[in-house]
Amino acid sequence: MTQETLPAPDVAPVTPSVRFADLALAEPVMRAINEVGYETPSPIQAESIPLLLEGRDLIGQAQTGTGKTAAFALPLLSKIDLSQVRPQLLVLTPTRELALQVAEAMQTYARHLRGFQILPIYGGQGMGLQLSRLHRGVHVVVGTPGRILDHLGRKSLNLDSLQAVVLDEADEMLRMGFIDDVDQILGHTPAKRQVALFSATMPAPIRRIALRHLNEPQEIKIAAKTATVSAIKQRYWQVRGVHKLDALTRILEATDFDAMIIFVRTKLSTEDLAEKLAARGFASAALNGDLNQQQRERTVERLKQGKLDIVVATDVAARGLDVPRISHVFNYDIPNDTESYVHRIGRTGRAGRSGEAILFVAPREKRMLHAIERATNQKIEPMQLPTRNEIVDRRIGQFKAQLDAVRHTEKLAFFRELVQQYQQENELDMDDVAAALAYLVQKEQPLQPTINDEPTVQAERGQREDKRSREPRSDSGEPRQRREYSREERQEPPIGLDMKRYRIDVGREHGVQAKNIVGAIANEISLDSEYIANISIRDSFTVLDLPDGMPLDVFEHLKSVRVCGRKLDIRVDGSAGKSADARPGRNPNSGPSHKKPFKAKTKSAAPKRKAAAKQAAAPAGSTKLKLKKAKPSKKDGAGSKPPKRKP
Ligand code: ADP
Ligand code: MG
């Protein structure tokens, strides 16, 4: 929570005259708002607060960044009876990051409520701590559905005194497959509690939940989808000719940014890319679901404090991240759906600041680019990579700045003498000495790098028109060397991978969808969803491909995993193992860059995995897959699995 004075987030107030002071919030809560520095309530706050204070049920539809947390937290905190140390308010969030973020925000708003107790509850954290805190008593519980259900099952969480329930980001909970859990939890709550449901979109299953559990809800709808992204400058670069990593580095070098979040598709790519950027001198780190909660918090904290400038993240790990200094969002891998894009770029332009988003679009991803433009109702402008001249100018500028800094801060007497001595010994001009030194200094990062400029858009157009010439032309019209296209553009997976066909005991008649299966398996055994392929849902069972060589204990664990209430009871299907990439000459187990889909989960293995992952950014076999997205399973703890060893 920032202490500076912030403008109300995003959309312009519909009722500009409303002030916090008009809203009948409890005095200690008002004091906290003043200290935090919110000037005026955002539209969703102005509309929700009076209704929630009155005790009405509410459906609030608003995009991320519109200030929903305070919209429910301020009124509901105002109504807490501090003398009753029992759960009076339950907030359900889709991820632990959000649970923590909401809990932290509420703690701030409640800082003048004496003896106030709030507890975030999420999978992946040890049960012991949660149990003892619950036992001692809390006023508010903020948690993810899976773990809340666990506690209800153990009777360690008692909701008899509950006054209100908030469903935060309900559509996200639906998307992640938690909606049945939410339904069940609501069923456990007293009949007379108040319910506030917040969601960016209102798909039918959310409406059904609302119908079933809400009592004459008042509906509030704030601003169009486009409002959230309008403050963000969006551009894309069409991937061609230059490898994405080099293109990224070039853009980073030529861009003034405060902090940046870079989105990639897989956990492994987060580490791989973060490492490569670090090697190129950027203060970067990975943020993914393999890190434990503490590590993730530490990374976010370091980003907030400016100890890191770049975080490379997956969608899931970065959801809801609120770090005001993020000035740029970089979509290194295009997202799988338009909603993710909106979520991603919503990490910048927070609380009224401006932000920039850059997107890499490979030729085959053009479709998604257009889908995004339609969904956000905004055109994303094409951009060119910084030219060699721009890079040279940048580097020269930095070089001069370094010289200035050294001249002003360092003691140079010894070096002055050394240089003079050298000059006299060799009877040189001082210019020549200085030039030689300058050359030495820039050797690692040359001031005159060999970089080929991209063909400009005009040049490309010319090329298309001039059918006789197959060579791209530069600005001057000179034919240019044809470049080797990178593997990425040939759309081939880097390495083959043997897959095996499995059968699981859940099928269409149990109501299962592919996303539930991918979510459960990906999360339960920490397998990147790219490896879960060719899912075929039949009436009473499903067959699917998983990488060959699954460790026995992982296999055993998967047997007992439940999807749609049914044990998977996974087993090898039929006879033949399948190969997802059967091109000849590709031995999946040879070659240093082969990536192991099944990861060791022990802590000490993590750094080693990092090293092994070094060369394997792109997932094997990815072009053949029907399913792309990682979805956490019903039980939300990615970190709560037992360690695995290959037998
Ligand atoms: P949402 O849940 O809608 O995505 P948040 O509740 O996370 O949005 O709020 C987004 C940001 O706006 C947070 O940094 C929060 O501190 C800030 N914020 C919320 N309400 C106000 C307000 N009235 N004035 C200024 N900033 C606010
Ligand atoms: Mg929120």
Side-chain angles (χ1 to χ4, degrees):
M1 194 90 338
T2 21
Q3 300 301 312
E4 63 196 287
T5 302
L6 301 168
D10 275 328
V11 273
V14 278
T15 41
S17 52
V18 178
R19 297 174 306 152
F20 277 115
D22 302 330
L23 291 175
L25 293 165
E27 187 277 330
V29 173
M30 269 309 293
R31 221 183 322 149
I33 300 170
N34 286 331
E35 288 169 3
V36 171
Y38 296 169
E39 288 176 315
T40 50
S42 71
I44 187 99
Q45 292 164 1
E47 298 206 32
S48 308
I49 291 172
L51 289 166
L52 289 177
L53 282 172
E54 256 174 55
R56 295 285 307 263
D57 280 7
L58 178 96
I59 299 179
Q61 201 177 339
Q63 296 300 307
T64 42
T66 48
K68 290 189 287 290
T69 316
F72 63 78
L74 303 179
L76 297 176
L77 285 172
S78 293
K79 302 209 298 183
I80 296 282
D81 178 355
L82 291 167
S83 66
Q84 293 274 332
V85 196
R86 305 159 131 215
Q88 296 166 48
L89 169 60
L90 172 65
V91 182
L92 295 178
T93 66
T95 65
R96 33 185 153 170
E97 275 69 28
L98 278 175
L100 280 165
Q101 205 169 293
V102 167
E104 192 187 317
M106 291 184 78
Q107 186 79 63
T108 308
Y109 303 141
R111 61 159 77 128
H112 297 300
L113 298 176
R114 266 170 187 269
F116 175 77
Q117 295 293 332
I118 184 168
L119 178 64
I121 284 187
Y122 44 84
Q125 191 191 39
M127 266 284 179
L129 188 70
Q130 293 176 0
L131 289 172
S132 72
R133 285 287 315 271
L134 282 170
H135 189 70
R136 266 185 286 150
V138 296
H139 299 102
V140 177
V141 171
V142 183
T144 47
R147 189 51 78 93
I148 297 281
L149 262 188
D150 281 354
H151 280 286
L152 288 174
R154 293 169 174 242
K155 306 234 180 298
S156 43
L157 176 61
N158 181 334
L159 299 181
D160 291 347
S161 307
L162 203 69
Q163 301 292 318
V165 185
V166 175
L167 311 182
D168 195 15
E169 309 222 4
D171 51 354
E172 203 53 43
M173 292 201 264
L174 171 71
R175 214 159 74 90
M176 298 176 68
F178 296 147
I179 208 68
D180 296 339
D181 293 354
V182 171
D183 197 23
Q184 225 176 316
I185 292 169
L186 284 170
H188 273 83
T189 57
K192 278 197 357 227
R193 82 286 183 256
Q194 186 179 6
V195 184
L197 184 159
F198 290 95
S199 197
T201 55
M202 277 296 153
I206 305 272
R207 287 240 164 255
R208 280 200 290 279
I209 290 274
L211 266 178
R212 194 153 46 224
H213 297 285
L214 273 63
N215 174 26
E216 295 179 19
Q218 179 87 20
E219 285 200 40
I220 299 174
K221 195 169 172 176
I222 302 292
K225 200 166 205 155
T226 50
T228 17
V229 298
S230 61
I232 299 165
K233 179 176 168 198
Q234 301 171 66
R235 290 178 300 161
Y236 78 92
W237 177 66
Q238 167 81 62
V239 179
R240 59 186 160 190
V242 182
H243 194 279
K244 285 206 305 192
L245 176 62
D246 293 325
L248 169 69
T249 325
R250 227 195 272 183
I251 294 172
L252 289 178
E253 209 182 312
T255 304
D256 289 312
F257 64 92
D258 196 358
M260 179 180 288
I261 180 155
I262 300 180
F263 283 97
V264 293
R265 210 161 283 149
T266 66
K267 296 176 199 171
L268 277 173
S269 325
T270 61
E271 293 181 349
D272 179 48
L273 188 57
E275 225 165 75
K276 287 189 173 132
L277 289 176
R280 294 178 182 211
F282 298 99
S284 58
L287 189 70
N288 64 45
D290 273 1
L291 302 173
N292 67 35
Q293 191 57 34
Q294 256 180 355
Q295 292 170 313
R296 283 199 256 179
E297 280 164 33
R298 207 178 309 130
T299 301
V300 173
E301 198 47 43
R302 286 171 64 213
L303 185 68
K304 281 187 181 162
Q305 292 170 355
K307 291 179 185 156
L308 278 178
D309 295 325
I310 297 178
V311 161
V312 187
T314 53
D315 287 290
V316 174
R319 192 168 293 134
L321 196 76
D322 186 18
V323 177
R325 66 179 278 269
I326 295 177
S327 58
H328 286 67
V329 169
F330 210 113
N331 297 278
Y332 189 81
D333 294 329
I334 200 166
N336 290 319
D337 54 52
T338 58
E339 257 176 69
S340 305
Y341 180 78
V342 175
H343 275 287
R344 283 179 176 190
I345 72 170
R347 299 308 109 221
T348 182
R350 305 294 289 174
R353 299 184 192 215
S354 63
E356 266 191 55
I358 296 172
L359 172 65
F360 277 173
V361 181
R364 65 176 184 281
E365 295 165 342
K366 269 276 163 106
R367 235 173 234 271
M368 182 50 78
L369 170 69
H370 298 313
I372 291 171
E373 289 184 326
R374 274 196 305 278
T376 55
N377 198 18
Q378 256 178 36
K379 192 141 181 54
I380 303 179
E381 295 297 332
M383 65 182 278
Q384 292 266 312
L385 289 187
T387 60
R388 176 174 183 276
N389 282 347
E390 283 174 66
I391 301 285
V392 169
D393 284 351
R394 276 271 171 173
R395 291 191 181 177
I396 289 178
Q398 274 164 7
F399 183 78
K400 288 180 180 167
Q402 274 174 352
L403 285 182
D404 284 344
V406 169
R407 281 195 300 113
H408 289 115
T409 55
E410 302 294 331
K411 294 204 179 72
L412 296 176
F414 169 81
F415 300 94
R416 199 173 291 121
E417 236 168 77
L418 174 66
V419 172
Q420 278 164 0
Q421 193 185 29
Y422 179 79
Q423 180 212 10
Q424 282 154 17
E425 283 167 5
N426 295 282
E427 297 181 0
L428 294 169
D429 281 347
M430 209 44 155
D431 290 1
D432 293 326
V433 180
L437 285 174
Y439 177 84
L440 279 181
V441 171
Q442 55 91 62
K443 243 172 137 183
E444 293 284 301
Q445 210 201 22
L447 293 175
Q448 300 176 289
T450 32
I451 294 176
N452 289 331
D453 285 343
E454 295 184 278
T456 61
V457 177
Q458 289 92 323
E460 286 218 322
R461 208 170 286 145
Q463 177 208 352
R464 247 177 277 140
E465 280 153 16
D466 178 11
K467 293 224 168 67
R468 286 160 303 169
S469 167
R470 309 229 113 227
E471 311 291 26
R473 284 164 192 279
S474 67
D475 310 80
S476 58
E478 294 280 312
R480 192 190 289 276
Q481 282 296 101
R482 247 183 111 72
R483 290 196 199 92
E484 261 301 301
Y485 280 83
S486 67
R487 154 177 288 164
E488 219 153 14
E489 287 164 282
R490 290 199 315 261
Q491 304 184 23
E492 278 173 27
I495 312 156
L497 186 69
D498 275 340
M499 303 290 277
K500 203 168 198 158
R501 199 108 179 112
Y502 289 93
R503 171 200 282 243
I504 51 178
D505 254 4
V506 58
R508 191 171 296 120
E509 66 194 27
H510 312 112
V512 80
Q513 293 181 321
K515 64 180 181 188
N516 310 127
I517 296 170
V518 174
I521 295 179
N523 212 29
E524 284 292 338
I525 65 174
S526 279
L527 179 68
D528 280 344
S529 54
E530 279 82 355
Y531 293 117
I532 307 169
N534 294 323
I535 297 182
S536 166
I537 300 178
R538 316 281 171 80
D539 282 344
S540 61
F541 64 94
T542 297
V543 285
L544 76 171
D545 289 349
L546 294 172
D548 200 3
M550 185 186 318
L552 200 61
D553 54 346
V554 174
F555 185 62
E556 288 302 321
H557 176 64
L558 263 188
K559 281 188 178 170
S560 61
V561 167
R562 282 172 182 277
V563 175
C564 292
R566 297 191 43 99
K567 269 202 349 212
L568 291 184
D569 205 12
I570 188 165
R571 54 201 179 276
V572 176
D573 182 59
S575 48
K578 271 196 146 186
S579 175
D581 180 6
R583 270 170 295 145
R586 284 173 170 259
N587 180 351
N589 294 319
S590 71
S593 58
H594 179 58
K595 159 176 134 184
K596 284 204 176 63
F598 298 105
K599 297 158 206 157
K601 288 296 285 180
T602 45
K603 276 192 190 103
S604 61
K608 278 191 211 115
R609 172 156 39 77
K610 223 165 151 178
K614 250 189 164 155
Q615 311 209 325
S622 60
T623 51
K624 297 220 169 180
L625 296 165
K626 293 183 178 154
L627 278 146
K628 295 174 196 133
K629 201 165 7 179
K631 295 218 170 92
S633 76
K634 307 198 63 155
K635 295 289 166 267
D636 22 35
S640 58
K641 270 135 279 152
K644 287 159 200 137
R645 255 172 288 110
K646 198 157 175 150

